[in-house]
């Protein structure tokens, strides 16, 4: 057991490796990139769920009958159309 204590004491006294100082920034950048990707995926999933819910509710609720107006023709509320009728 004292051998292990000696080994840990010597390891504590050894100076840090120079490469460890440069390791922090890439690790934190990777974590931020993964977090952003997860947030984007969550937002896309939420938008999909909302779209499905709105589509389902819009389909199930009864609506008013569609009243189509001619796209390029004379609208039914136009004065010239009202005078003819």
């Amino acid at each position: 057991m004292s051998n292990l204590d000696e080994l840990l004491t010597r390891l504590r006294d050894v100076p840090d490796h120079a490469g460890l100082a440069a390791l922090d920034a890439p690790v934190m950048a990777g974590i931020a990139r993964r977090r952003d990707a997860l947030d984007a995926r969550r937002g896309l999933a939420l938008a999909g769920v909302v779209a499905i819910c709105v589509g389902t509710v819009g389909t199930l609720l009864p609506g008013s009958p569609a009243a189509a107006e001619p796209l390029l023709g004379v609208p039914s509320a136009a004065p010239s159309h009202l005078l003819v009728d």
Side-chain angles (χ1 to χ4, degrees), residues 49-63:
V49 168
V50 168
I52 289 171
C53 290
V54 168
T56 303
V57 168
T59 302
L60 295 177
L61 292 177

Side-chain angles (χ1 to χ4, degrees), residues 6-46:
E6 273 180 44
L7 181 63
L8 290 175
T9 303
R10 278 190 284 149
L11 188 60
R12 181 188 64 198
D13 296 336
V14 173
D16 293 337
H17 188 272
L20 291 177
L23 190 62
D24 189 35
V27 169
M28 294 308 284
I31 290 172
R33 193 170 42 249
R34 290 188 116 203
R35 187 179 307 137
D36 290 343
L38 183 63
D39 288 344
R41 243 183 276 140
R42 279 188 190 142
L44 188 59
L46 179 63

